[in-house]
Amino acid sequence: MLFSQKPKLRLLLCCLSLLLPIKSQAQEPRLQVVTELSPPEQTIIDGKAAGTATAKVQEILDKAELSASIEIFPWARAYKKAVTEPNTLIYSIAKSEQREPLFYWLTPVTEYKFGWVSLRDRSDIQINKPEDAKQYRIVVQRDDIAHIWLLGHGFVEDKHFITCSDIGCSWQLLLNRNVDLVIESPDFIASMLQQFNRPLDMAKFIAPIPELEITAYLAANKNIDPIILNKLKVAIAAL
């Protein structure tokens, strides 16, 4: 009787061993990476996320031997996903007092020097201090660092500025003369004009906003798997 049960026992153990890897794989956490469209740092080439900041993030993922697709969303949506969804990375995100406790700030990926940008033929626009900008129509991306800065300096939404879902929307409003100003980096003006097939001298940088000279990071949702977080930290340290 005892010997007759051994083949059955071996068959049962064999079946269990086949199931274990499947179960382990199913439980492995999925890593997602989100960003916004912001050429040339974050752009799309052949249907995939690309750009200089994207290349840095991909290098980190490759070094960490982590598989993740990089998805581009309007900033407000990308930010919400990064805050609320576990195992989510976001870039290029500026650190602020409100944001700091929400993420693990892994590593800088780029630098921004934002300021006021208008169409070149708008010689009437003069800005020497933030208060001067309140007489003009401004657009910023919803929930980005410029939006936070405007609110912190007494600008009122729908009175002094409106919000857009992404930088492309903001530039479209500027180029169509629906607004007077966008907040943008001088390094990105040519890329945005090129994206809209407009002359590269159609817009101009008027004045910097010193408080928006910032370092932007790759950051991780606080509910990230510890193993993934450690792999990312080791990879960053090795690069």
Side-chain angles (χ1 to χ4, degrees), residues 34-54:
V34 297
T35 188
E36 67 169 335
L37 185 66
S38 184
E41 299 287 348
Q42 294 107 235
T43 187
I44 300 173
I45 298 177
D46 296 330
K48 295 182 179 180
T52 50
T54 300

Side-chain angles (χ1 to χ4, degrees), residues 62-82:
D62 292 344
K63 186 72 175 178
E65 298 182 345
L66 291 169
S67 177
S69 60
I70 299 176
E71 298 180 272
I72 293 179
F73 298 102
W75 177 254
R77 185 178 174 193
Y79 181 74
K80 183 178 180 180
K81 289 176 75 70

Side-chain angles (χ1 to χ4, degrees), residues 100-226:
E100 189 161 5
L102 302 178
F103 299 98
Y104 291 109
W105 299 88
L106 299 174
T107 186
V109 291
T110 192
E111 302 284 334
Y112 292 126
K113 294 184 178 181
F114 290 120
W116 304 106
V117 172
S118 75
L119 296 180
R120 184 164 295 280
D121 61 8
R122 292 298 303 274
S123 57
D124 58 304
I125 298 178
Q126 302 291 326
I127 301 175
N128 297 308
K129 57 185 185 299
E131 196 71 20
D132 295 338
K134 289 183 178 179
Q135 62 186 298
Y136 304 111
R137 297 168 298 170
I138 306 164
V139 61
V140 292
Q141 294 76 253
R142 189 177 304 113
D143 293 336
D144 81 352
I145 198 69
H147 187 188
I148 295 169
W149 182 85
L150 287 175
L151 292 172
H153 284 77
F155 289 76
V156 178
E157 188 164 355
D158 295 328
K159 179 181 178 181
H160 301 118
F161 71 92
I162 59 174
T163 59
C164 251
S165 61
D166 57 44
I167 189 64
C169 166
S170 295
W171 270 91
Q172 188 72 69
L173 290 176
L174 178 69
L175 295 172
N176 290 344
R177 299 182 184 274
N178 299 120
V179 298
D180 304 313
L181 295 164
V182 296
I183 295 178
E184 181 63 284
S185 165
D187 298 329
F188 300 164
I189 293 174
S191 295
M192 294 307 303
L193 290 171
Q194 187 175 33
Q195 182 171 318
F196 286 98
N197 296 313
R198 301 298 182 94
L200 299 186
D201 62 350
M202 188 173 178
K204 63 182 179 180
F205 190 75
I206 296 176
I209 302 173
E211 292 164 288
L212 292 182
E213 293 186 5
I214 55 177
T215 299
Y217 290 79
L218 171 65
N221 178 285
K222 276 296 182 77
N223 291 319
I224 189 171
D225 183 270

Side-chain angles (χ1 to χ4, degrees), residues 55-67 232 235 239:
K56 292 178 183 178
V57 172
Q58 189 61 60
E59 184 181 17
I60 292 168
L61 294 173
D62 292 344
K63 186 72 175 178
E65 298 182 345
L66 291 169
S67 177
L232 288 166
L239 290 172

